[in-house]
Amino acid sequence: MGKADLHIHTTASDGRLSPEEVPALASENGLEVIAITDHDTIDGYFPASEAGERIGVEVLPGVELTCDFNSRESHLLAYCFDPEDPDFLQLLAHHKKARLDRIEWIVGQLTQQGLDIDKNEVRAEAAGGNVGRPHVASVLVKKGYVGSAKEAFIRYLGNHALGPIQSYYVSHEEAVERIKGAGGATILAHPGVLYSREEIEQWIDAGLDGLEVVHSSHNYDQQKKYREMAEQHNLLMTGGSDYHGDGEGYLRNFGVITTSLAQVEKLKQMTRQRKKISV
């Protein structure tokens, strides 16, 4: 009855623990398998994998890929792809630039509102990792514009505050295709209340492999709904804590919000078969 957490972030994107620290924490919390799913980067995978090998925690290749779905930003989890696939690495490089372009646009919006903020301050906050809105929030807190990251998102950084965010990402169809081309599996991240049933059908039509049924934001009814939908469409079911670290705005569900090793094996079987077919 081993446990796995397939949704974890590190300092390679917007997490607070280094990739090397996560496997040790996973071991302490009874996890046998984890996936590092930083936003649009796999920079944390290799150091985490090496650390995991030393202490007996398996680290799967993973990433939370941002994509454009019906003109809105969506997140697609990818697992067990070839981390050295050149086409997939090219896509991640494109998304790294897309994140910088998006942050520049957000900073421009905030500047128009009279806030004294510079894109280089935000990049410095990311400390070399992939930059995102949480790093903008940190700058706003440090400059005294808001008292907390939560307030920053409520007042300035939420979709309701920024309005339609210009998209620099690939479409969800292309994202699915590129992940599968690298031998990986595609899982819709934390669907929660984000999508209607008809919209999830669109994802399935695009070739989606599975749903993140278990997530820190999902209540029992939502888990039941997505489990039934996955069974109906013969989709994979995954789960994870979406762990970023301790502190404000982060959920301490590490080792609690998990998925079974049986689900992990189904995921591996699919990707092994996909890689055989592509050879």
Side-chain angles (χ1 to χ4, degrees), residues 215-218 241-254 257:
H215 184 267
S216 298
S217 67
H218 289 182
S241 63
D242 204 351
Y243 185 75
H244 287 70
D246 298 329
E248 182 200 357
Y250 297 105
L251 298 173
R252 176 66 185 186
N253 289 310
F254 206 63
I257 306 297

Side-chain angles (χ1 to χ4, degrees), residues 61-244:
V63 67
E64 187 170 2
L65 195 68
T66 313
C67 55
D68 183 272
F69 175 74
N70 294 347
S71 299
R72 72 176 192 262
E73 184 180 301
S74 294
H75 292 174
L76 183 65
L77 291 162
Y79 297 111
C80 298
F81 47 81
D82 177 0
E84 297 181 345
D85 181 86
D87 289 338
F88 192 60
L89 291 178
Q90 184 182 51
L91 175 64
L92 294 178
H94 170 270
H95 276 217
K96 184 178 181 69
K97 183 179 184 303
R99 282 188 161 267
L100 292 172
D101 291 341
R102 186 185 68 158
I103 288 299
E104 185 170 353
W105 181 86
I106 290 174
V107 167
Q109 297 296 107
L110 297 178
T111 301
Q112 290 179 22
Q113 297 180 51
L115 278 66
D116 180 18
I117 180 172
D118 184 86
K119 65 179 180 181
N120 292 321
E121 295 176 298
V122 180
R123 295 182 68 174
E125 197 66 30
N130 260 14
V131 68
R133 276 184 280 187
H135 302 118
V136 182
S138 295
V139 173
L140 294 179
V141 170
K142 287 182 177 180
K143 289 199 158 188
Y145 288 116
V146 293
S148 67
K150 181 178 181 180
E151 183 185 353
F153 274 87
I154 292 173
R155 293 183 59 186
Y156 298 111
L157 299 177
N159 292 345
H160 62 285
L162 287 169
I165 299 176
Q166 185 172 346
S167 176
Y168 300 91
Y169 301 110
V170 300
S171 68
H172 73 289
E173 295 100 336
E174 182 176 351
V176 168
E177 181 180 352
R178 298 284 283 273
I179 292 166
K180 287 186 170 184
T186 59
I187 309 292
L188 185 59
H190 43 65
V193 295
L194 298 177
Y195 307 96
S196 67
R197 182 173 290 272
E198 291 74 20
E199 287 175 325
I200 292 180
E201 296 282 354
Q202 291 179 41
W203 277 98
I204 294 171
D205 290 342
L208 186 74
D209 292 316
L211 300 173
E212 187 175 40
V213 172
V214 179
H215 184 267
S216 298
S217 67
H218 289 182
N219 60 32
Y220 174 80
D221 288 338
Q222 288 168 333
Q223 289 188 35
K224 183 174 182 290
K225 170 186 175 182
Y226 292 117
R227 184 174 292 107
E228 290 174 350
M229 186 174 289
E231 290 172 348
Q232 176 187 351
H233 292 280
N234 195 28
L235 300 175
L236 295 171
M237 291 181 273
T238 69
S241 63
D242 204 351
Y243 185 75
H244 287 70

